Amino acid sequence: MIRITLPDKSVKEFPEPITGYEIAKSISNGLAKAVLSVSVNGEVWDLTRKITNDASIKLYTWEDREGKETFWHSSAHLMAEAIEFYYPGTKFGIGPTVDTGFYYDVDLPDGKQLSEKDMQKIEQKMLELARQKNDIVRSEISKSDAMKMFIEKDDELKQELISELEDGTITLYNQGNFTDLCRGPHLPNAEYIKAVKLTSIAGAYWRGDEHNKMLTRVYGVTFPKQKLLDEYLVMLEEAKKRDHRKIGKEMELFTFSEMVGQGLPLWLPKGTQLRMQLEDFLKKVQKKYGYEQVMTPHIGSVQMYKTSGHYEKYGKDSFQPISTPAEGEEYLLKPMNCPHHIEIYKWKPKSYKDLPVRMAEFGTVYRYEQSGELHGLTRVRSFTQDDAHIFCRPDQLKDEFKKVIDIIFIIFKALDFENYTAQISLRDPDNPEKYIGSKENWDKAEQAIIEACEEKGLNTVTELGEAAFYGPKLDFMIKDALGRNWQLGTIQVDYNLPERFKLEYIGADDNRHRPVMIHRAPFGSMERFVAVLIEHTAGKFPLWLTPEQAVVLPISEKYNDYAKKVSNFLNISDIRSVIDDRNEKIGRKIRDNELKRIPYLLIVGEKEAETETVSVRRQGEGDRGIMSTGEFADFVLKEVRDQLSGLYN
Ligand SMILES: [Zn+2]
Ligand SMILES: [Zn+2]
């Protein structure tokens, strides 16, 4: 009897060894059709591999990352089969999956370069091979036989890989005429693959070493339905249009300068306006929740970062210390704000009645990133965290977590992120020695996070073993308008820094106790958050936030004075407005300002000047008719009030 435990802890018994596919089938035909791979005691297996002992299993479909990985890695084999068909003698390096899709590093014969046409040819062949419905078959092979096989094939890349493997662990996968050295897992059959797109080619050194041969890396993505590929291609097109670097330029939000240095964003006036608006918003929310703002310098002594442990983590590969010329003191650009805040906590003794202390700062930090890793505002070397540290008693942890979750909900609501999930990261139960802090405190903290999430009705997944060594945490992920996932803010419990800095408070029992520290940054960083927000909204920010809410467009120069009067009136009414008084046709002005994503376009000519009115156009929606300037101001202020109503007052 084989006992199979399912994720819901229910147990199914089978009289003899059984495959993942058969288990799925015993549950439902629909599941059998959808399932792609199976995890057996935590290891992902082929659906067709016999499970011979009692096991805990989980079935993966396209909805699971593991299912997609099985699908895409099998697609890499299918692509290799197609490439070998057209270019016999090709040597195959490695073919792993990436976030979306897969690649294979190949060494094509006779220095062959793949053209756009070749790529299409390979795509077609892949589909043709998939339609042959060849089973993908796993077999075990001895090291010497594997070596022999790839010597015969004259593939020294695979020979090198085999030489590093242990005998008895080597497996091959075959489909049709193609056999690859591979650990798996794979789909049962190539016919699962219904839609194929080879997305790009790049050069890649064998094993990432520049002393080695340059191979061709062919990227692709595949789907179990044509419709999914079509949607994906539309999404890619849309993502290109929404690239925050492109929109950032069009809206004049930020720039980079080689003279200043790589990865160091410069916020232009409009971007600064946007950022200040976000910061003011968060400051108001935080004030409501009892936070106090602090300010700290951009550098701190090396000694402090040695005490905190950050020197060990960020010191070696980071920016080098700054030394004072006369005293030889050493400072680091700050990689984290925490130690500075800790020293603020310590400036005066605390009693249990003083806690929690909630300290917030938009703190700019500096972390070295390799130049090749830099990307727009999402990977930079200087960024500002919407940071805060909460110092509390262990019994206050749950309440504090709930309050931070509230703040994050408010932010998501104000910015129209409707689709979010959170991951609770807990200890690895098998390795308790990995973690600092008492078991009792950990138990309490984990329980507090789980309960806080439950009580707030948050949609969560729980991952064992994903906690930091110094405490459990909660991470927020949002799905943007294109369905892409972004990791944003974190709430992290920390037992380590209070210990290292010997933080204390005097308890009701008159004894000294150690406070718990919570690090939290709902946006993560202003830079990354603005990038995500741009791509989510395509630059069409909510009215309360957008840097310029209205632009006045005089029909001709004759009405520039009236336009100025309107704009001045709006500005003193707390509406951010500008004028476009260039000597251009009105149609051109409308187009240019729509590109800047200014929500309201106010057209003024003779009739408007005479009657003290404006002709209102709403970006992307068209005409809103004529209003008096005062009516328009009230209208905008009401829209802003409605967007923010109840969020922080
Ligand atoms: Zn493989
Ligand atoms: Zn921190």
Side-chain angles (χ1 to χ4, degrees):
M1 212 40 116
I2 308 250
R3 289 169 56 85
I4 297 291
T5 310
L6 298 169
D8 65 0
K9 304 281 172 230
S10 66
V11 175
K12 277 188 157 255
E13 294 193 340
F14 299 91
E16 51 195 35
I18 184 155
T19 66
Y21 180 82
E22 288 159 350
I23 297 169
K25 186 122 183 145
S26 77
I27 298 170
S28 79
N29 282 332
L31 184 59
K33 265 182 103 166
V35 68
L36 300 173
S37 54
V38 55
S39 121
V40 179
N41 298 328
E43 199 185 322
V44 188
W45 278 24
D46 304 322
L47 278 184
T48 48
R49 192 166 157 190
K50 287 263 188 242
I51 302 167
T52 50
N53 292 314
D54 292 357
S56 293
I57 69 136
K58 188 166 184 221
L59 296 163
Y60 294 123
T61 69
W62 182 255
E63 302 309 318
D64 303 298
R65 185 175 49 82
E66 293 86 348
K68 281 198 183 78
E69 280 172 1
T70 305
F71 194 92
W72 283 331
H73 179 61
S74 301
S75 305
H77 280 225
L78 188 67
M79 180 172 80
E81 187 182 1
I83 290 174
E84 192 170 59
F85 174 84
Y86 284 118
Y87 313 105
T90 296
K91 292 157 192 183
F92 293 95
I94 53 164
T97 58
V98 290
D99 274 355
T100 309
F102 56 89
Y103 66 80
Y104 217 127
D105 283 345
V106 299
D107 185 10
L108 294 156
D110 314 318
K112 164 77 189 164
Q113 305 276 331
L114 292 177
S115 67
E116 190 58 38
K117 243 178 110 188
D118 296 330
M119 301 272 274
Q120 285 167 13
K121 214 167 69 175
I122 296 166
E123 281 173 8
Q124 288 314 313
K125 180 52 82 180
M126 284 171 73
L127 289 170
E128 194 187 312
L129 292 167
R131 284 194 293 264
Q132 290 177 6
K133 304 188 182 202
N134 289 316
D135 282 338
I136 304 176
V137 182
R138 175 180 189 273
S139 58
E140 291 171 8
I141 187 170
S142 72
K143 188 167 176 169
S144 60
D145 285 350
M147 202 49 122
K148 214 160 80 195
M149 182 177 155
F150 285 96
I151 287 171
E152 264 164 40
K153 233 186 143 185
D154 197 24
D155 186 337
E156 71 272 4
L157 303 179
K158 289 291 181 202
Q159 291 167 33
E160 187 178 327
L161 295 175
I162 293 166
S163 71
E164 291 161 15
L165 295 175
E166 219 171 286
D167 202 4
T169 64
I170 303 176
T171 49
L172 299 176
Y173 279 84
N174 165 271
Q175 91 255 1
N177 295 317
F178 182 78
T179 302
D180 206 352
L181 170 78
C182 181
R183 223 177 320 147
H186 279 281
L187 298 170
N189 189 297
E191 70 163 324
Y192 284 60
I193 300 163
K194 303 284 192 208
V196 173
K197 177 77 195 159
L198 299 193
T199 44
S200 64
I201 319 182
Y205 292 109
W206 169 233
R207 317 201 90 174
D209 184 339
E210 60 187 295
H211 303 293
N212 287 342
K213 184 158 187 187
M214 174 81 88
L215 307 177
T216 305
R217 178 167 294 178
V218 189
Y219 285 95
V221 63
T222 52
F223 295 89
K225 280 189 193 129
Q226 180 63 36
K227 186 169 154 269
L228 292 173
L229 172 59
D230 295 342
E231 284 168 6
Y232 174 71
L233 294 177
V234 169
M235 193 279 285
L236 273 195
E237 251 337 281
E238 189 55 32
K240 235 186 256 170
K241 284 189 220 149
R242 287 171 181 245
D243 189 323
H244 73 276
R245 295 167 300 177
K246 174 174 165 281
I247 292 178
K249 199 178 275 171
E250 288 166 358
M251 295 182 73
E252 302 173 6
L253 298 177
F254 60 89
T255 188
F256 290 88
S257 145
E258 271 179 39
M259 190 58 102
V260 172
Q262 297 190 73
L264 302 171
L266 300 173
W267 292 84
L268 299 172
K270 288 174 200 171
T272 304
Q273 171 64 49
L274 172 77
R275 194 172 132 171
M276 286 190 337
Q277 205 68 32
L278 276 173
E279 291 184 5
D280 287 348
F281 168 69
L282 194 54
K283 276 182 197 163
K284 280 184 193 156
V285 177
Q286 286 176 167
K287 192 162 180 194
K288 177 179 163 184
Y289 283 90
Y291 287 68
E292 293 168 300
Q293 288 292 134
V294 295
M295 286 186 184
T296 60
H298 288 226
I299 61 174
S301 78
V302 164
Q303 190 46 52
M304 175 169 73
Y305 293 112
K306 283 186 175 159
T307 305
S308 71
H310 290 124
Y311 184 75
E312 226 180 308
K313 185 158 187 258
Y314 294 105
K316 286 185 287 291
D317 308 314
S318 185
F319 295 118
Q320 295 308 299
I322 305 161
S323 310
T324 57
E327 303 86 345
E329 296 166 279
E330 285 198 304
Y331 292 91
L332 276 191
L333 283 171
K334 77 174 169 192
M336 297 283 232
N337 303 302
C338 340
H340 286 80
H341 290 184
I342 284 174
E343 291 304 306
I344 294 180
Y345 175 91
K346 282 167 83 173
W347 87 276
K348 207 165 86 175
K350 299 278 188 292
S351 95
Y352 68 99
K353 287 186 205 145
D354 297 322
L355 302 186
V357 171
R358 307 183 192 92
M359 219 183 280
E361 177 178 19
F362 288 91
T364 304
V365 296
Y366 304 86
R367 294 184 200 167
Y368 172 70
E369 298 272 0
Q370 288 182 10
S371 54
E373 301 285 310
L374 298 170
H375 180 87
L377 288 182
T378 54
R379 281 299 271 282
V380 284
R381 287 173 171 173
S382 119
F383 55 92
T384 301
Q385 295 177 310
D386 55 323
D387 211 358
H389 294 97
I390 300 165
F391 302 88
C392 65
R393 306 191 306 259
D395 63 289
Q396 294 171 320
L397 205 54
K398 179 167 144 193
D399 255 3
E400 289 308 306
F401 248 84
K402 280 165 75 173
K403 287 190 179 122
V404 181
I405 294 172
D406 279 341
I407 291 176
I408 290 176
F409 280 176
I410 291 173
I411 292 167
F412 288 170
K413 180 146 190 278
L415 295 166
D416 294 329
F417 287 111
E418 282 162 4
N419 214 329
Y420 48 85
T421 50
Q423 177 180 315
I424 304 174
S425 298
L426 305 178
R427 275 167 300 181
D428 175 357
D430 299 331
N431 287 299
E433 73 288 348
K434 261 186 12 196
Y435 303 96
I436 179 168
S438 72
K439 180 179 174 300
E440 200 191 333
N441 276 339
W442 270 84
D443 289 344
K444 258 190 242 156
E446 292 185 343
Q447 202 50 36
I449 297 177
I450 292 166
E451 284 176 18
C453 291
E454 269 172 17
E455 286 169 31
K456 287 291 163 191
L458 187 60
N459 196 358
T460 57
V461 289
T462 301
E463 294 288 346
L464 296 178
E466 288 291 307
F469 75 92
Y470 51 86
K473 63 176 176 164
L474 183 65
D475 290 308
F476 282 84
M477 258 87 61
I478 52 159
K479 219 182 214 54
D480 75 5
L482 299 186
R484 297 172 298 178
N485 286 311
W486 299 85
Q487 156 109 46
L488 287 184
T490 292
I491 320 177
Q492 167 86 58
V493 179
D494 188 349
Y495 294 112
N496 180 41
L497 289 182
E499 196 67 43
R500 281 176 171 259
F501 282 89
K502 311 219 173 328
L503 297 188
E504 289 178 343
Y505 65 90
I506 305 295
D509 56 3
D510 265 343
N511 287 327
R512 292 168 195 280
H513 298 271
R514 204 114 292 154
V516 189
M517 192 172 172
I518 302 173
H519 309 256
R520 45 111 280 180
F523 291 156
S525 81
M526 300 308 288
E527 284 73 9
R528 187 176 158 78
F529 188 74
V530 166
V532 174
L533 194 59
I534 291 172
E535 302 211 357
H536 177 56
T537 61
K540 289 172 190 151
F541 304 120
L543 189 63
W544 69 267
L545 175 66
T546 201
E548 289 166 342
Q549 294 167 315
V551 55
V552 191
L553 310 176
I555 283 179
S556 76
E557 285 183 0
K558 249 166 78 186
Y559 307 105
N560 283 357
D561 284 343
Y562 177 62
K564 238 170 248 158
K565 200 175 138 193
V566 170
S567 179
N568 285 341
F569 173 77
L570 294 177
N571 284 329
I572 56 169
S573 310
D574 258 345
I575 293 164
R576 299 183 291 277
S577 87
V578 286
I579 310 176
D580 184 352
D581 57 5
R582 293 174 303 156
N583 190 11
E584 291 286 356
K585 292 235 161 55
I586 189 71
R588 170 77 191 269
K589 287 188 188 179
I590 291 175
R591 276 198 307 280
D592 288 354
N593 284 288
E594 286 200 327
L595 198 61
K596 290 184 186 162
R597 283 107 169 145
I598 302 179
Y600 284 106
L601 309 179
L602 307 177
I603 295 148
V604 297
E606 189 176 354
K607 192 171 61 183
E608 288 82 6
E610 262 171 22
T611 54
E612 307 246 310
T613 56
V614 289
S615 281
V616 182
R617 276 175 76 92
R618 173 84 169 153
Q619 156 96 266
E621 290 171 23
D623 218 359
R624 286 286 176 92
I626 291 185
M627 295 183 201
S628 79
T629 315
E631 273 167 3
F632 174 73
D634 290 343
F635 178 75
V636 171
L637 292 174
K638 180 171 185 308
E639 191 179 335
V640 168
R641 265 198 318 275
D642 287 350
Q643 283 179 351
L644 295 177
S645 74
L647 290 182
Y648 50 68
N649 39 30

